[in-house]
Amino acid sequence: MDNPVIIKGNKHGITVFLDPKVDFETLKKYVAEKFRDSSKFLGDAPVVLGFEGRPLLPDHESQLIKVINENCNLKIVMIDDRDTARGERYKKQLEEVLMEIDRAQGSFYKGNLRSGQEVFFENSVVILGDVNPGALVISKGNVIVLGALKGQVAAGAYENENAFVFAIDMSPVQMQIAGVRARSADEPAKDEEKGMKLAFIEDGRICLEPLSKRIWNDIRL
């Protein structure tokens, strides 16, 4: 695994993939850095958090949750897949909290968007899942995809040039921010950097950059 820690959105929240070859204390440092660098984009949404890639002792799992809490503002709802009843209770609780936040602050969309689906939001939206080819997301605010963005997206509709698009896996067919539009190349560059990316308008064009503290500090919100 090139990256010891990978964050990926799923149907109910976030899965953290952990490299089994890295010792635990070093892994904690990578987890802290990963969530600290992405905290502004992840926001304070309530999410279900899961770990994959290596078995974790209960104490190690607790330590990782503590590290994540210390480095971002996510409201974590932990699901133990070995306890189905407990998992169902947590999922129900998460859905209720998401509904409250949707009414008061913004929008959340849970699940994957398939080809042919089109969704529109009056404000910024966090999508807990993938936007597949053929799907379209339009928002008057920002679009944050905690998963793969492979369809079409329009943020800042139709004149908010300060809007941005963020995705954990950024590879849209077409993107528009305010009145500026861009299309992906038919074939990605071989040396193209993978990972979380941010798209924003700069000098009248859409810029696509890997997530970093510098990019976050420079962006106009």
Side-chain angles (χ1 to χ4, degrees), residues 23-93:
D23 70 89
F24 183 72
E25 291 303 318
T26 301
L27 198 65
K28 282 170 57 177
K29 296 178 181 178
Y30 280 111
V31 170
E33 179 181 356
K34 197 79 165 182
F35 278 88
R36 183 166 59 249
D37 289 347
S38 58
S39 62
K40 296 284 188 179
F41 302 98
L42 296 176
D44 58 358
V47 296
V48 173
L49 181 72
F51 297 104
E52 291 189 17
R54 63 187 289 163
L56 290 172
L57 297 172
D59 179 59
H60 284 181
E61 187 176 88
S62 298
Q63 289 184 51
L64 289 179
I65 293 172
K66 181 180 179 181
V67 167
I68 293 170
N69 282 331
E70 290 173 345
N71 287 278
C72 73
N73 297 316
L74 288 173
K75 298 179 178 65
I76 297 174
V77 179
M78 194 63 199
I79 286 187
D80 183 353
D81 291 333
R82 293 166 296 181
D83 188 338
T84 304
R86 180 185 175 193
E88 289 301 319
R89 290 198 301 272
Y90 278 147
K91 284 190 283 186
K92 182 178 180 180
Q93 178 184 351

Side-chain angles (χ1 to χ4, degrees), residues 14 38-45 107-109 121 123-131 137 139 141-149 153 155 164-168 170 197-198 216 221:
I14 293 175
S38 58
S39 62
K40 296 284 188 179
F41 302 98
L42 296 176
D44 58 358
S107 298
F108 285 81
Y109 184 95
F121 301 91
N123 45 24
S124 296
V125 59
V126 177
I127 297 175
L128 304 175
D130 296 335
V131 180
V137 178
S139 169
N142 308 314
V143 176
I144 299 171
V145 181
L146 300 183
L149 173 53
V153 59
F164 63 81
V165 177
F166 168 78
I168 289 177
M170 179 79 82
K197 292 185 180 179
L198 176 77
W216 173 255
L221 294 178

Side-chain angles (χ1 to χ4, degrees), residues 99-173:
M99 289 176 63
E100 288 299 321
I101 290 181
D102 185 34
R103 288 193 291 266
Q105 299 178 15
S107 298
F108 285 81
Y109 184 95
K110 294 191 303 165
N112 299 324
L113 287 168
R114 300 183 299 275
S115 178
Q117 287 187 278
E118 298 181 3
V119 291
F120 175 82
F121 301 91
E122 289 285 345
N123 45 24
S124 296
V125 59
V126 177
I127 297 175
L128 304 175
D130 296 335
V131 180
N132 289 305
L136 170 63
V137 178
I138 301 174
S139 169
K140 289 186 177 181
N142 308 314
V143 176
I144 299 171
V145 181
L146 300 183
L149 173 53
K150 298 181 179 180
Q152 298 183 54
V153 59
Y158 293 93
E159 56 186 19
N160 180 8
E161 294 188 354
N162 290 331
F164 63 81
V165 177
F166 168 78
I168 289 177
D169 180 359
M170 179 79 82
S171 52
V173 172

Side-chain angles (χ1 to χ4, degrees), residues 156-204:
Y158 293 93
E159 56 186 19
N160 180 8
E161 294 188 354
N162 290 331
F164 63 81
V165 177
F166 168 78
I168 289 177
D169 180 359
M170 179 79 82
S171 52
V173 172
Q174 179 173 291
M175 177 186 299
Q176 180 172 331
I177 301 178
V180 182
R181 185 176 300 177
R183 290 186 62 88
S184 295
D186 292 334
E187 293 292 336
K190 292 183 179 180
D191 58 351
E192 181 178 355
E193 187 174 349
K194 304 296 183 181
M196 298 181 287
K197 292 185 180 179
L198 176 77
F200 55 96
I201 292 179
E202 185 173 80
D203 297 328

